[in-house]
Amino acid sequence: MNVARRQRHAPPRAARWLLAALLPRRARAEVLADMADEHRLLAESLGRQAADRWYRVHVGRSLIPALQMRWPFPDWRNPMDVAVGDMRQSLRRLLRAPGFAAGAVATLALGIGSTAAIFTLVDSVLLRPLPYPDAARIVAVGHSASGLDLGPVGQSWGTYVHYRDHGDAFDSFGLYQQAVVNLTGGGDPERIRIAMVTDSFFEVLGVEPALGRALTRADLAPGLGGDYVLLSDRLWRERYRGDPGILEATVQINGVERAVVGVLPPGFDFPERGIDVFMNLTEDPAAFTFGGFYLDGIARLRAGIGVQRAEAELQRLVPGLADAYADATPELLERSRLRVEMTPLKQLVIGDAATGLWALLFAVAIVLAIACANVANLFLVHAEHRTREVAVRRALGASRRALLRFFLSESLWLAAAGTAAGLAVARLTVAVLLRLAPDTLPRLHEVRLDARTILLAAAISALAALLFAVAPTLRHRRTDFLGTLRAGTRAVSGDRAERRHGELFVAAQVALAVVLLVASGLMVRSFERLARVELGFDGTDVLTAQISLPYRSYPDYASSAAFFQELLARLRATTGVTAAGAVSNLPLTASPFAEMPHLLEAEGRPRPTGEQLQLVRLKLVTAGYFEAMRIPVLAGRIDLLGATRPVILSEPLARRLFPDGEAVGRRVRRVAPDEQPPWATVAAVVGPVREQAPDRPPAEIYYVPLAESFAEPGFSPGFMTLTVRGDGPSSLWLDPLRRAVAELDSALPVSGVRSYDRILRAATARRAFTMILLAVAAAVALFLGAVGLYAVTAYGVGRRTREFGVRMALGASPAEVLRMVTFEGGGVVVLGLAVGAALALLTTRLLASLLFEVSPADPLTFLIAIALLAAVAMFATLLPARRATRVDPVRALGAD
Amino acid sequence: MRFLKLTEQLVLLALAHLGAEGYGVTIRREIEARTGRTVSTTAVYAALERLSRDGLVAAQLSAPIAERGGRARRQFSLTRRGAEMLQREREAVDRMWAGLDANPLFARR
């Protein structure tokens, strides 16, 4: 009966449901109950229908207020007042917990700062477009001739003119060629690097001189370059003190006066850092031949034409070369399989620097993740302390949004402070990195911390702040507030859910740290392997210096060769000098005069066909070189003065040319398309030398003596590097060297003077740089991980004091409690190690190109990394665990 | 401080009439009876929420009323601060009205 009556008086279902859906949870019960009451009263006095009608109308009236309760916007309070009030309050709260705040800010600063610094590097070098207008349209234009075993080569005058005159894909097309010359006048004689360029060169790049005017075709003049030059900003400021009167002055290059017409803007760095003078590349139609690919080309693509299409278009012009040039026979064109190759200029500039930099960014991202995990943990712990406060607020009706605001305002302060500190750290780090970075890192001068990095840092910190704030609010939803309030601190042990969150974070940190440790470990081992590589020579304490003989004073092979012979004789006569020699260029150096590769054939062996011709490096050398660099003689004798045109082969070359045994005494000669070079006799075979890089196999080298009788056409001894070894450090021979040179020719500069050790270091500089940074990142990760682990364990122990007290009061020994704590902590660490090892196996594969003779899955490295981390983790767990054992059961039980 | 919304003022005034203590239902009915206009229950509770946040109204759980469907209801009471606010609102409005009696826009009822 009661039931029947209550049912008769139930409010209309649809309307009730609608209202229930719209009302926010906090008000739902109350409002619906009140309305049900009124509905009942009305039904009793006015009848069911009137009551229902009233109810429905009332629901209609309640719609807007209900929505407003759900989303109180615009808030009845000025949102700005709310925000400011919240922020001020939370700041006060944070200042009352300085340990937590400082720790969080410092950790964030470390994570964000390092990430920002490396990102600056990556952004400046890899991501930002080159600093030329519309730089995406600039390409390097070269060729490959796979049929002749020729890798990437540049342009010849013939191909350049042909493409320029018949091609349609370019807005502008230019050539450049680098050289090293002597600069005199206005200061000490200096050897400088220059580039000879066509007038279209600067047009392609879209660069104009900052002072004066550009070079034009009208500036052409016979001789080396032209009579007009452009200076780099650096040369202008350093040698000529930034004097604007330079435009009226002349400079002497290789003895010839040339007028300065302009100065380029600062920071202009193409084709390389350190090009100080730009001269006109003389266009001599008589020299337009197909052969001679010693020039480099760049072009600006026409709008709308992509690289592939431009390549195809130029490729179509290749057969036409046969008609244009006598030396481009159709047979040669086909045999060589000449292909036009275009590379975006940015790719050319970046080279192979990308992998290393991405690896660094990856590493630093891991550090950031670990740092954030640490701070999140700290934040959870900090939030823990205020469970009661939060519970009271919730009981009084604070919504989840209010809770979120409560935590968010704190995390925003922390994130803001962490980011500000982090950016300061980043600034400092970038400055340090720039000083330590090897010169071989491209675009170094363009590196600067700018808006993009700051934006990234701000985005990271905003995300982090949100993450930190949301985590505790999610958890608090499930907490039983009244229970917490009543129980107070009498709860025996911490909430299981809280502990699990902390453990998850710890496992994640451990896993990430493993990845980083393994990566840096692999790099370290690579480096170590590299350091122990047998280079084939020994350059310690060898003094090296470069001498370039100007064409005017030494116009032929004989005069150049005579100069060096005389100089070396004087050096050898110096007391203390045990060996002195000269070579066209040293191993492990990149020379602007990159030797043109040559083809050789051996007498008595079948002449290699087109596909089998292999290229060797040809070097001019004197006997003293092998002695100075301690390159062992494996067979024969270094006697370069015989009448039989002696040459020396490096071991790999001897082995290939004469696989059946003795090379000494046999004859070889160069292969040239239209001539029959004379045979030369192998006088000796010397040990293999790692010529290009320590991690590349030893090269095939064909050593040709400097003696005048052995003049090879097209080969000039005008530029040689001296090597001097003696009893004592290399610096001892500097003065004698300069004096000897000055005695022979007072106007001749000696440059590039350095001990070979420096050259060796520079060759491995970039790898060393990457390795050091990775190791630092790994160390930081290890440190942060240990701190995090310690903090979580310590906090856990602190919360469970009562539990330990109970256990020990019930008879557990301190050792058992210790074991329990370490066991639980250890379980998490083991999980992290396992996950980390699996992750590492997957990701280190990406590092493969940076490694040398070390597998990305190298077991020894993995073992060491895991063991190290396990040891640190154990230590970080044991320390606070020991505190657990010292709990006084009586105190623990009695405290509240 | 900010101005009180109209609904909030009505709720406070209703509470004053109810002897400074009232329930959601009674407040709503008081307003409806006196002004002749309907205010929805939701709006009343929304106003009560804001008022209690600002300390103009105090809430407490009362013992379940002995009647059909008895449940623990929240009982609201006007705080001293609430009364002061109300007074200030009134003074503000009065001051705005001052001198407008003779204004032809407002015919005398």
Side-chain angles (χ1 to χ4, degrees):
Chain A
M1 293 148 325
N2 267 352
V3 170
R5 234 180 314 168
R6 222 171 293 151
Q7 272 186 335
R8 240 192 299 142
H9 291 149
R13 278 223 308 261
R16 184 185 183 282
W17 178 89
L18 179 62
L19 186 58
L22 288 175
L23 282 169
R25 195 169 355 143
R26 65 186 188 275
R28 201 175 292 157
E30 212 165 9
V31 170
L32 288 176
D34 269 14
M35 284 182 65
D37 281 352
E38 290 207 57
H39 177 265
R40 196 168 17 91
L41 289 171
L42 271 175
E44 279 166 12
S45 57
L46 293 180
R48 180 107 200 281
Q49 273 193 331
D52 282 354
R53 202 175 30 229
W54 172 89
Y55 195 90
R56 289 200 184 93
V57 166
H58 212 83
V59 163
R61 278 219 176 82
S62 298
L63 293 185
I64 305 238
L67 288 174
Q68 277 185 335
M69 275 188 102
R70 229 184 223 280
W71 299 302
F73 189 71
D75 203 70
W76 57 274
R77 263 195 283 198
N78 186 353
M80 272 311 288
D81 287 339
V82 172
V84 169
D86 265 359
M87 296 303 279
R88 238 184 308 167
Q89 268 194 335
S90 57
L91 180 62
R92 256 179 294 167
R93 270 200 303 273
L94 281 176
L95 290 177
R96 260 184 273 138
F100 157 69
V105 170
T107 313
L108 272 181
L110 204 58
I112 294 184
S114 53
T115 308
I118 299 293
F119 177 76
T120 302
L121 219 58
V122 167
D123 185 41
S124 306
V125 174
L126 300 178
L127 298 178
R128 259 196 244 140
L130 292 178
Y132 311 117
D134 221 350
R137 291 194 1 229
I138 309 181
V139 292
V141 187
H143 296 95
S144 70
S146 51
L148 296 177
D149 251 338
L150 276 176
V153 295
Q155 300 281 332
S156 67
W157 272 114
T159 55
Y160 168 67
V161 172
H162 187 71
Y163 298 150
R164 185 188 61 184
D165 292 342
H166 297 104
D168 206 18
F170 300 145
D171 268 349
S172 43
F173 186 17
L175 290 179
Y176 63 98
Q177 182 191 8
Q178 296 183 54
V180 177
V181 298
N182 294 335
L183 175 69
T184 45
D188 295 328
E190 216 183 312
R191 218 177 97 263
I192 58 170
R193 308 237 305 275
I194 70 167
M196 296 178 287
V197 302
T198 57
D199 57 322
S200 44
F201 174 82
F202 289 107
E203 215 181 296
V204 169
L205 294 174
V207 171
E208 278 177 11
L211 208 62
R213 65 170 177 84
L215 295 171
T216 62
R217 292 181 92 170
D219 297 326
L220 291 177
L224 177 63
D227 283 340
Y228 300 100
V229 297
L230 288 174
L231 301 185
S232 74
D233 183 79
R234 182 206 79 85
L235 185 69
W236 178 49
R237 284 185 202 283
E238 284 186 15
R239 190 180 172 93
Y240 302 102
R241 289 170 301 275
D243 176 18
I246 191 71
L247 295 183
E248 316 289 324
T250 62
V251 297
Q252 262 198 3
I253 295 198
N254 276 1
V256 177
E257 296 278 341
R258 305 177 204 272
V260 177
V261 301
V263 177
L264 289 165
F268 177 69
D269 259 5
F270 190 76
E272 273 183 23
R273 248 205 305 268
I275 302 281
D276 279 325
V277 167
F278 287 80
M279 301 201 297
N280 255 327
L281 197 52
T282 325
E283 227 177 277
D284 176 15
F288 290 173
T289 59
F290 170 68
F293 284 73
Y294 57 90
L295 301 161
D296 292 301
I298 53 172
R300 182 175 278 273
L301 296 175
R302 271 232 318 271
I305 298 200
V307 170
Q308 254 118 348
R309 201 170 128 200
E311 252 181 18
E313 213 191 278
L314 246 59
Q315 189 69 37
R316 270 198 295 271
L317 297 173
V318 167
L321 288 164
D323 301 323
Y325 302 106
D327 58 336
T329 63
E331 183 250 357
L332 175 65
L333 283 178
E334 194 183 312
R335 177 160 55 97
S336 62
R337 280 186 283 194
L338 193 69
R339 286 204 58 77
V340 173
E341 306 218 328
M342 284 189 206
T343 327
L345 197 65
K346 184 163 147 197
Q347 219 174 298
L348 190 76
V349 168
I350 292 178
D352 60 352
T355 319
L357 285 177
W358 286 121
L360 282 178
L361 190 63
F362 169 71
V364 109
I366 290 185
V367 170
L368 179 66
I370 295 183
C372 282
N374 260 4
V375 176
N377 241 355
L378 272 176
F379 205 79
L380 272 179
V381 164
H382 178 62
E384 282 315 302
H385 283 312
R386 301 203 311 274
T387 306
R388 294 193 71 192
E389 182 185 342
V390 172
V392 167
R393 278 178 181 240
R394 282 278 269 164
L396 285 182
S399 68
R400 187 131 45 93
R401 274 183 80 243
L403 258 193
L404 185 67
R405 265 205 341 239
F406 180 70
F407 288 125
L408 192 61
S409 47
E410 279 188 4
S411 69
L412 276 176
W413 274 118
L414 290 177
T419 309
L423 283 174
V425 166
R427 215 128 185 246
L428 197 67
T429 313
V430 168
V432 169
L433 283 179
L434 284 180
R435 302 201 71 213
L436 296 179
D439 277 335
T440 46
L441 207 63
R443 300 180 75 182
L444 218 54
H445 61 283
E446 290 182 54
V447 172
R448 59 179 182 280
L449 203 150
D450 68 349
R452 280 153 75 123
T453 311
I454 297 179
L455 233 69
L456 178 77
I460 294 178
S461 73
L463 234 77
L466 205 62
L467 175 76
F468 300 152
V470 162
T473 55
L474 286 179
R475 233 165 8 80
H476 277 296
R477 184 173 26 141
R478 286 180 274 150
T479 309
D480 167 23
F481 300 111
L482 286 185
T484 318
L485 287 173
R486 273 196 237 107
T489 51
R490 281 175 180 274
V492 166
S493 81
D495 183 23
R496 263 264 84 174
E498 304 157 5
R499 272 225 302 249
R500 220 173 337 212
H501 272 94
E503 289 170 0
L504 225 67
F505 276 132
V506 166
Q509 284 178 307
V510 169
L512 289 175
V514 168
V515 174
L516 201 46
L517 274 176
V518 168
S520 62
L522 288 174
M523 285 294 292
V524 170
R525 288 202 75 197
S526 289
F527 197 74
E528 187 220 9
R529 279 274 157 85
L530 206 60
R532 285 195 277 146
V533 143
E534 187 55 64
L535 291 171
F537 58 90
D538 177 14
T540 39
D541 281 335
V542 170
L543 182 69
T544 70
Q546 292 167 331
I547 298 203
S548 170
L549 298 178
Y551 183 70
R552 287 201 135 211
S553 323
Y554 303 86
D556 58 7
Y557 198 105
S559 47
S560 311
F563 172 86
F564 283 111
Q565 303 283 32
E566 179 58 35
L567 177 60
L568 288 173
R570 285 181 193 226
L571 282 174
R572 274 193 284 264
T574 314
T575 34
V577 171
T578 52
V583 67
S584 41
N585 79 301
L586 291 170
L588 299 182
T589 54
S591 156
F593 286 122
E595 300 124 332
M596 275 293 291
H598 296 259
L599 309 165
L600 291 183
E601 68 163 317
E603 187 184 44
R605 312 250 326 129
R607 184 182 171 132
T609 54
E611 290 74 40
Q612 292 170 323
L613 288 174
Q614 260 172 291
L615 304 170
V616 304
R617 290 167 169 263
L618 199 154
K619 291 199 187 195
L620 284 180
V621 81
T622 69
Y625 168 72
F626 299 103
E627 230 183 294
M629 296 295 274
R630 301 223 169 121
I631 299 176
V633 178
L634 300 180
R637 277 181 13 140
I638 310 244
D639 178 8
L640 296 176
L641 301 172
T644 55
R645 300 177 65 88
V647 292
I648 300 176
L649 307 181
S650 75
E651 192 263 339
L653 179 59
R655 217 176 343 113
R656 178 171 67 82
L657 289 179
F658 303 101
D660 50 354
E662 261 314 308
V664 176
R666 312 273 288 270
R667 304 209 293 174
V668 299
R669 69 171 170 194
R670 278 190 310 113
V671 173
D674 294 324
E675 18 161 331
Q676 291 282 49
W679 288 102
T681 316
V682 177
V685 175
V686 294
V689 165
R690 287 190 194 256
E691 177 69 26
Q692 292 149 304
D695 53 346
R696 306 274 282 277
E700 299 183 347
I701 310 179
Y702 183 63
Y703 296 97
V704 169
L706 186 57
E708 188 228 320
S709 59
F710 202 98
E712 284 265 351
F715 223 86
S716 160
F719 174 75
M720 299 286 279
T721 306
L722 303 171
T723 54
V724 183
R725 178 189 283 281
D727 305 320
S730 53
S731 47
L732 288 178
W733 323 122
L734 184 50
D735 281 333
L737 175 61
R738 286 200 200 275
R739 250 177 297 131
V741 171
E743 279 167 23
L744 288 177
D745 185 338
S746 57
L748 203 56
V750 179
S751 55
V753 181
R754 47 199 169 149
S755 165
Y756 190 80
D757 308 297
R758 266 191 58 191
I759 296 178
L760 187 57
R761 267 205 304 274
T764 49
R766 203 196 291 174
R767 241 214 195 79
F769 181 66
T770 313
M771 179 197 79
I772 291 176
L773 288 190
L774 271 184
V776 169
V780 171
L782 196 60
F783 171 71
L784 285 179
V787 166
L789 187 52
Y790 177 92
V792 163
T793 316
Y795 180 69
V797 164
R799 287 290 308 255
R800 295 161 70 190
T801 319
R802 176 176 291 275
E803 176 192 341
F804 298 145
V806 168
R807 283 181 190 261
M808 288 203 279
L810 290 181
S813 71
E816 280 172 2
V817 172
L818 181 68
R819 214 176 320 147
M820 180 185 80
V821 174
T822 33
F823 223 71
E824 288 173 2
V828 174
V829 169
V830 167
L831 174 68
L833 288 175
V835 171
L839 224 66
L841 268 174
L842 290 174
T843 45
T844 48
R845 229 176 302 164
L846 301 168
L847 278 181
S849 64
L850 292 176
L851 302 178
F852 178 69
E853 284 187 13
V854 174
S855 143
D858 181 45
L860 183 61
T861 313
F862 270 79
L863 236 75
I864 295 183
I866 292 179
L868 182 63
L869 204 51
V872 169
M874 204 83 284
F875 189 68
T877 320
L878 267 175
L879 232 57
R882 276 184 46 200
R883 273 205 285 127
T885 65
R886 292 203 225 104
V887 165
D888 176 8
V890 175
R891 265 235 334 258
L893 288 171
D896 192 320
Chain B
M1 224 195 140
R2 57 176 199 89
F3 284 113
L4 289 178
K5 285 210 174 77
L6 181 61
T7 316
E8 292 164 352
Q9 288 188 56
L10 295 176
V11 165
L12 288 174
L13 288 167
L15 271 176
H17 280 292
L18 290 170
E21 277 181 4
Y23 300 97
V25 177
T26 54
I27 292 171
R28 196 193 80 75
R29 290 185 148 203
E30 182 75 17
I31 296 173
E32 203 168 79
R34 284 189 177 258
T35 61
R37 281 149 65 179
T38 316
V39 186
S40 69
T41 317
T42 315
V44 168
Y45 275 105
L48 282 169
E49 184 180 69
R50 295 192 293 264
L51 289 168
S52 72
R53 237 193 287 182
D54 272 358
L56 306 178
V57 148
Q60 83 188 67
L61 285 170
S62 77
I65 302 175
E67 66 166 55
R68 276 186 304 214
R71 57 185 165 100
R73 286 187 171 76
R74 272 202 295 170
Q75 190 177 43
F76 300 94
S77 51
L78 186 61
T79 62
R80 176 143 54 149
R81 206 154 150 230
E84 283 170 2
M85 271 294 285
L86 212 50
Q87 181 84 338
R88 244 181 309 167
E89 292 289 311
R90 185 182 189 188
E91 282 167 11
V93 175
D94 279 348
R95 258 177 269 152
M96 288 300 291
W97 273 106
L100 284 177
D101 282 343
N103 195 304
L105 280 173
F106 304 112
R108 270 275 179 178
R109 287 268 198 102

